Amino acid sequence: MTIHIRFAEARDIDLIHGFILALADYERLAHAVRADKAVLAHHLFGPRPAAEVLIAEKDGAAAGFALFFHNFSTFEGRPGLYLEDLYVSPEARGAGIGRALFARLARIAVERDCARMEWAVLDWNSPAIAFYRSLGAEAMDEWTVNRLDGAALAALAGAPT
């Protein structure tokens, strides 16, 4: 068995979109997916890419992905790497693909002088939480994620809804 991790290209947009839909289904959030292939292509491979994607292949077949972008720590004075989504196909789980994706992300973070890697996990996803702990990750339980979107975002911006 061989695992290969590569950066996604524009030609991978169908694959990326499919992984996003599969992840949303697993997370019981399929109803929340609004992204279509055109929107993803624009924001991932357009003139100002907002994020990057890694594709994991097992024996030459796509098996998973990781979508990430850079944030910035004012306390550290350095960038960070934020992992938005990571997904491994059910039939490929247990083969080390998740670990390989995380190792590649860690190498990217080190190469780019990032102070840290961060991500969120749903509190009910105990297999993922156990996996993250096995990597040495620490829960940031004292922090609470906040979100402003939709009508509330538009209202605060003074934009018509």
Side-chain angles (χ1 to χ4, degrees):
M1 177 190 68
T2 60
I3 297 172
H4 177 67
I5 310 293
R6 65 175 176 82
F7 278 94
E9 300 174 7
R11 65 182 169 83
D12 294 312
I13 203 65
D14 290 339
L15 179 62
I16 295 165
H17 188 252
F19 280 140
I20 290 169
L21 294 175
L23 173 63
D25 188 53
Y26 173 77
E27 291 182 340
R28 305 174 199 150
L29 293 169
H31 64 279
V33 177
R34 292 185 204 68
D36 62 27
K37 295 173 196 172
V39 167
L40 286 171
H42 174 75
H43 290 291
L44 295 176
F45 303 106
R48 188 175 174 207
E52 298 174 74
V53 177
L54 296 176
I55 302 292
E57 296 171 335
K58 178 183 167 201
D59 296 329
F65 87 120
L67 187 146
F68 68 97
F69 55 88
H70 290 284
N71 54 16
F72 192 84
S73 169
T74 53
F75 289 5
E76 294 283 347
R78 294 169 46 204
L81 188 148
Y82 189 84
L83 174 60
E84 179 67 22
D85 285 323
L86 185 140
Y87 178 77
V88 176
S89 300
E91 62 276 4
R93 291 181 190 152
I97 293 166
R99 180 173 276 282
L101 282 164
F102 262 92
R104 181 65 180 273
L105 289 164
R107 283 193 300 277
I108 291 167
V110 169
E111 289 165 2
R112 296 180 184 182
D113 194 34
C114 294
R116 59 186 169 219
M117 283 176 50
E118 294 179 312
W119 61 93
V121 60
L122 292 165
D123 61 4
W124 58 260
N125 194 346
S126 53
I129 292 167
F131 171 67
Y132 301 147
R133 296 302 166 268
S134 78
L135 297 175
E138 296 178 40
M140 304 298 291
D141 294 331
E142 66 276 13
W143 292 88
T144 301
V145 175
N146 289 266
R147 179 177 291 166
L148 188 61
D149 64 2
L153 177 63
L156 184 59
T161 53

